[in-house]
Amino acid sequence: GITSSAGPAFISEVAPEKIRGMLVGIYQNNVCLAILAAAALNYTVHELSWGWRLSLGLQVAMGLLVVLGLFFVCETPRFLESAGRSTEALQVLTRLRGGDHAAAQHELKEVQSELENERQAGDATWSEVFTVPFYRNVVIIGCAIQFFQIMTGINAIVSFSGTLFKALGLHGIAFSIIPFVSFTAGNAVGSFGLVDRAGRRPLLLLGMMLMCVTMLVGGAVAILAQDPETGHIGEAAGFTIVAMIVTYMFSFGISWGFGAWLYISEIMPLRVRGKAVGLCTAMNWGPANVLSAFLTPQMISSPLGPGGTLIFFGCVCLVVIPFVATCVPETKGKTLEESITQGLAIKAWGLWLRDDSLGFRVSV
């Protein structure tokens, strides 16, 4: 949980705004590759008595590799500046910008200006996070994005795709890894080719629309094609369902897979970023993951079956679409400071509140 929030936050603070989306996408793409490798590994060793040791032991080796790598990672310029280490912040930022001293100075001035505004307002307390309209609304949006990222079905497919396919009568390693290949491909296309061109908001909206359609169509086919007596599903219907799940995984990868983590790291004010990103991450790893983990196997084994499970997640996707359309502003091409001060006139349901002490006009 700590690393899943610290990773995107670190990347967003050191990356140039033009490629920030792509770099956060690389982070998520590595997660996709790891999921794919884990699926292939687990399928290969699941019948071996010591197979579980290999699956768990590999995590220890990878964790040690990350620990060693962190000794060569610099602190972020924004943190250094907030700690009063301006000279060091400029040196790090110049190195991160390929030696462009002028660009580093300009960016550091923006950071200094934002920090000065934050210092004048003082350090945010937990009560401010929940009572100041600007902070509260941004945190609510961030938590909602993280909650919906999981509750629209991704963890259900990742964790229970084998159970789901088995219930549909589909077996073999191909069905175990094809969805994850699609996930990885979608993430690569979205993070490397689209997010810094099309923008965050359009990808989140389009991705959720495609996820909704594929879940609803796949669920409907599963229900209509299933023999009520034997529970058997025909070959054509089975491959149609697999195609819908593969398309769903691609749609998620191209948008919400990396976009949810990128977005919350971009919209949070520096003054409350640590608390806010922590809350959003807790929403993802806490309520969303717990609900998904407990609800999915219950739904698959209940009268709802695999088809009803897919329709359930499709309906959740349907609810998210108007939320993204009305509550999620664009942050593409802006520095973190610009995203906060210029991009967060968050319009939702036509209701506006103003916090004159901070100079922000935001909605609830």
Side-chain angles (χ1 to χ4, degrees), residues 99-227:
D100 191 338
H101 188 73
Q105 282 187 318
H106 176 74
E107 189 170 339
L108 186 60
K109 287 180 180 179
E110 290 185 347
V111 174
Q112 291 170 338
S113 176
E114 177 64 21
L115 284 172
E116 182 58 31
N117 292 335
E118 299 288 357
R119 289 192 186 102
Q120 290 176 0
D123 293 331
T125 63
W126 280 108
S127 63
E128 286 181 84
V129 172
F130 295 107
T131 58
V132 175
F134 172 55
Y135 296 146
R136 182 185 64 226
N137 296 338
V138 174
V139 169
I140 289 174
I141 289 174
C143 286
I145 287 174
Q146 288 295 302
F147 181 80
F148 289 136
Q149 185 201 41
I150 301 301
M151 284 307 296
T152 46
I154 183 60
N155 274 17
I157 302 300
V158 169
S159 300
F160 299 102
S161 59
T163 304
L164 186 65
F165 287 148
K166 184 177 180 180
L168 293 171
L170 305 172
H171 307 278
I173 189 172
F175 295 114
S176 298
I177 67 171
I178 285 177
F180 303 115
V181 172
S182 178
F183 183 13
T184 305
N187 188 85
V189 171
S191 59
F192 301 155
L194 293 179
V195 68
D196 288 315
R197 298 179 183 178
R200 284 66 162 150
R201 186 175 181 274
L203 281 185
L204 291 175
L205 188 58
L206 176 62
M208 189 55 65
M209 289 178 177
L210 291 173
M211 289 159 61
C212 176
V213 171
T214 52
M215 286 288 97
L216 292 177
V217 171
V221 170
I223 291 175
L224 295 175
Q226 189 172 33
D227 189 308

Side-chain angles (χ1 to χ4, degrees), residues 49-108:
S49 60
W50 49 267
W52 65 274
R53 299 181 186 274
L54 181 60
S55 295
L56 296 181
L58 184 61
Q59 299 179 55
V60 177
M62 298 299 288
L64 290 174
L65 182 62
V66 173
V67 170
L68 292 175
L70 287 174
F71 284 104
F72 302 94
V73 173
C74 64
E75 186 53 83
T76 70
R78 284 177 175 81
F79 173 80
L80 293 173
E81 181 61 37
S82 68
R85 297 153 65 181
S86 300
T87 302
E88 191 176 349
L90 181 59
Q91 291 173 348
V92 171
L93 194 54
T94 301
R95 189 166 74 250
L96 288 169
R97 298 299 176 261
D100 191 338
H101 188 73
Q105 282 187 318
H106 176 74
E107 189 170 339
L108 186 60

Side-chain angles (χ1 to χ4, degrees), residues 230-253:
T230 64
H232 178 72
I233 293 178
E235 182 177 343
F239 281 110
T240 300
I241 296 168
V242 172
M244 290 298 101
I245 292 177
V246 168
T247 306
Y248 167 87
M249 295 290 280
F250 182 86
S251 303
F252 180 86

